[in-house]
Amino acid sequence: MSEKREARRFGPIRLPTRFTVVSWRDLAFTLAPIILISVVAIWAAFRFVRPAPPDTITITTGPEASLFRNYAERYNKILARNGVKLRVLTSQGSLENLRRLSDPSFSVDVGFVQGGVASGMKVDGLVSLGSMFNQPLAIFYRSSAGLNLLSDLKGKRVAIGVEGSGVHVLALALLKANNIEPGGATRLLELSGEAAADALLRGTVDAVFLMGDSAAPQFMRKLMQAPGIRLFDFPQAEAYIRRFQYLNKLDLPMGALDLGKNLPPRDLRIIGPTVELIARDNLHPALSDLLIEAATEVHGGASLLQRAGEFPAAIEREFPISDHATRYYKSGKGFLYRYLPFWVASLVDRMAVLLVPVLVLLIPGMRIVPVLYRWLVGSRIYRWYGNLLALEREMRMNTDSKPREDLLKRLDAIEQGVNGIKIPLAFADQFYVLREHISFVRGRLANSETRDHGPETRDRALETGDNEPRSRGG
């Protein structure tokens, strides 16, 4: 058969609008659900699993110029190096700090709390970041008072600190153990810090209880050097620390405060509680590490009342040690936080948490992608097979010439639609098989017309290429 006759038989060559290497539209539809689910998983992990650490936290301390307040200011400078701001709130002292931490409506994250003030209070939801330092109880008295034991304060005027301070709680507990209670012969005055020191110097009180949570160190040094004022020595120190489990015995050697003036003039036995850094249990673990790191820098050295490296320490007292603090004391800072800036390490740490849900979704999802992609591209071809099959069934049921012309028009529309679809090169074989099947149906339609109308239609069939094609589908 000549080339011209071959062209007449199969009709003009028609090609699809465009072949592509990949159908980006189908690929997008395939990946969209997986990407959407992954984005939701990432958002949920960022939002609920491990949120970003806040850039500001609040600490409750003590009065202005108190030891608690001074320590908090040093913490603030250390945390600022890592881009975290520490908001410092003043208070009356340990008891008020604990009340604030226990109150969910009060905006505070951490606070200094001395041992012994939590008795009878609800402290659920609070954890300790460790013991930070010893806080000695300094009882100054006028030498004329002749104070040898705390019981000698009966009938005298005593400043015991203001309500809300830790010294107030401890003073009442110690005096009660010596049968001295409010309302008795002893006048218990709520004076603290500078006011208490001035009252002792003026002679309006006989003794004052001072501690670092509510008094500045300079007031204690001022009283130590004042004539006629003495620092009380606890001869019963061992008995006190056994009766009050939160107290420690502290030794102040002779001359420790001033060698030249020999202050104190003899060895003194002092008692005092340990101060803990208490936090709410929802404190971000990264901030917990930062606070303990700051505490190590501030409290880790040697002083008159502690050895180097003694504090901070993971010693559980009235509050449980937080899990994050326990991990820090055992192994130190996390690997990322040792070598990366704080916020970079925090971001990488959170990203590591995201890998689990993302991998759980992506690994099986990527296995489904090729199957789903083939189905999406193939469905574009399969739907034309449905139209072609319906047309062929109608062709067998109809013998009239008019419906056959309608069928021919519909077949032309199918072929035109098929030639307009975009198919990736990997699916070109399916495309050409579909075209051959269209030619096959067209040939069946032409043969049907030839049988009905005789030889005169044969040439017209050849003109339109209506004989059966040689194809895999024919």
Side-chain angles (χ1 to χ4, degrees):
M1 186 183 291
S2 66
E3 293 181 3
K4 183 176 180 181
R5 185 172 182 79
E6 189 75 16
R8 288 176 61 194
R9 177 174 176 175
F10 290 102
I13 297 176
R14 297 170 183 171
L15 295 177
T17 304
R18 179 159 58 98
F19 279 119
T20 59
V21 177
V22 177
S23 176
W24 298 108
R25 174 170 164 269
D26 292 320
L27 188 61
F29 276 111
T30 303
L31 295 175
I34 298 174
I35 294 174
L36 180 60
I37 295 174
S38 299
V39 169
V40 172
I42 291 172
W43 175 83
F46 267 112
R47 179 67 177 84
F48 300 108
V49 178
R50 185 169 293 183
D55 57 3
T56 302
I57 54 176
T58 303
I59 185 171
T60 177
T61 58
E64 293 287 349
S66 65
L67 190 64
F68 281 12
R69 172 80 184 197
N70 293 341
Y71 282 151
E73 294 295 346
R74 293 176 65 183
Y75 281 24
N76 185 26
K77 294 179 181 179
I78 297 171
L79 266 61
R81 299 201 295 256
N82 292 286
V84 178
K85 180 181 179 181
L86 184 65
R87 192 164 67 99
V88 180
L89 297 183
T90 58
S91 72
Q92 295 299 336
S94 290
L95 183 58
E96 186 175 4
N97 292 345
L98 185 56
R99 287 172 178 168
R100 288 176 174 178
L101 287 165
S102 302
D103 184 359
S105 64
F106 201 93
S107 180
V108 67
D109 300 295
V110 294
F112 291 116
V113 177
Q114 73 182 47
V117 301
S119 179
M121 292 188 63
K122 185 178 180 180
V123 294
D124 295 342
L126 300 182
V127 293
S128 173
L129 301 186
S131 298
M132 299 293 116
F133 53 92
N134 287 320
Q135 180 169 244
L137 171 63
I139 303 177
F140 291 95
Y141 65 98
R142 299 187 68 82
S143 56
S144 58
L147 188 62
N148 295 312
L149 300 174
L150 284 187
S151 57
D152 294 334
L153 289 173
K154 287 182 179 180
K156 293 183 170 54
R157 301 160 299 175
V158 183
I160 60 171
V162 298
E163 170 67 24
S165 65
V167 66
H168 182 85
V169 176
L170 183 57
L172 289 176
L174 297 181
L175 291 174
K176 183 178 181 180
N178 287 275
N179 299 315
I180 300 174
E181 297 189 50
T186 304
R187 291 183 59 191
L188 303 180
L189 307 174
E190 291 192 358
L191 297 174
S192 185
E194 186 176 10
D198 289 343
L200 183 63
L201 292 173
R202 292 196 308 267
T204 56
V205 297
D206 300 302
V208 296
F209 285 69
L210 297 176
M211 293 180 72
D213 76 327
S214 57
Q218 57 264 33
F219 300 145
M220 299 185 190
R221 287 194 296 267
K222 181 179 179 181
L223 292 177
M224 183 69 71
Q225 298 174 359
I229 305 297
R230 294 181 180 177
L231 178 62
F232 180 69
D233 177 30
F234 277 84
Q236 300 171 306
E238 196 66 35
Y240 278 106
I241 66 173
R242 293 191 182 188
R243 182 163 182 175
F244 300 94
Q245 299 295 319
Y246 54 84
L247 293 179
N248 305 302
K249 180 182 176 182
L250 307 170
D251 296 319
L252 187 63
M254 180 176 64
L257 298 178
D258 192 320
L259 290 171
K261 297 179 180 180
N262 195 32
L263 295 176
R266 58 189 175 88
D267 292 348
L268 296 178
R269 292 156 292 185
I270 303 175
I271 61 173
T274 300
V275 176
E276 295 181 76
L277 186 60
I278 305 302
R280 290 177 174 166
D281 57 8
N282 61 353
L283 181 70
H284 196 283
L287 296 179
S288 173
D289 289 0
L290 274 184
L291 285 167
I292 299 175
E293 183 180 17
T296 303
E297 186 173 335
V298 173
H299 309 296
S303 68
L304 291 176
L305 300 175
Q306 71 181 51
R307 301 180 302 275
E310 184 177 355
F311 293 104
I315 303 174
E316 188 165 313
R317 302 179 187 274
E318 296 173 282
F319 302 89
I321 302 294
S322 78
D323 295 337
H324 303 301
T326 300
R327 184 258 311 152
Y328 184 93
Y329 287 115
K330 287 183 178 179
S331 57
K333 296 171 65 175
F335 176 80
L336 295 174
Y337 291 92
R338 294 178 191 173
Y339 302 104
L340 296 175
F342 175 73
W343 291 108
V344 176
S346 174
L347 180 61
V348 175
D349 186 37
R350 294 169 67 209
M351 291 298 294
V353 175
L354 301 180
L355 290 178
V356 175
V358 171
L359 290 178
V360 167
L361 291 170
L362 287 184
I363 290 177
M366 295 309 293
R367 293 177 179 177
I368 298 173
V369 166
V371 177
L372 185 57
Y373 178 76
R374 284 195 297 270
W375 180 84
L376 282 173
V377 177
S379 65
R380 194 173 303 143
I381 296 175
Y382 301 150
R383 71 183 183 90
W384 291 110
Y385 272 113
N387 295 337
L388 192 60
L389 182 60
L391 186 145
E392 187 175 10
R393 285 174 178 171
E394 290 187 33
M395 178 188 71
R396 292 175 178 177
M397 295 174 58
N398 293 280
T399 57
D400 298 338
S401 60
K402 185 175 181 180
R404 186 177 291 109
E405 292 178 359
D406 293 339
L407 293 175
L408 186 59
K409 291 180 180 179
R410 286 170 56 190
L411 184 62
D412 291 338
I414 291 174
E415 185 173 19
Q416 185 177 1
V418 169
N419 289 332
I421 63 177
K422 297 180 181 179
I423 294 294
L425 287 174
F427 296 84
D429 58 339
Q430 297 184 29
F431 170 79
Y432 280 106
V433 168
L434 174 58
R435 282 171 50 86
E436 289 177 353
H437 290 162
I438 292 173
S439 297
F440 169 75
V441 174
R442 187 183 298 280
R444 294 289 299 273
L445 187 59
N447 290 338
S448 174
E449 183 178 3
T450 302
R451 287 194 301 269
D452 294 340
H453 298 282
E456 65 272 9
T457 61
R458 189 182 309 274
D459 292 339
R460 183 163 61 86
L462 289 175
E463 291 289 341
T464 57
D466 288 335
N467 286 328
E468 296 183 9
R470 296 188 298 270
S471 68
R472 288 185 293 174

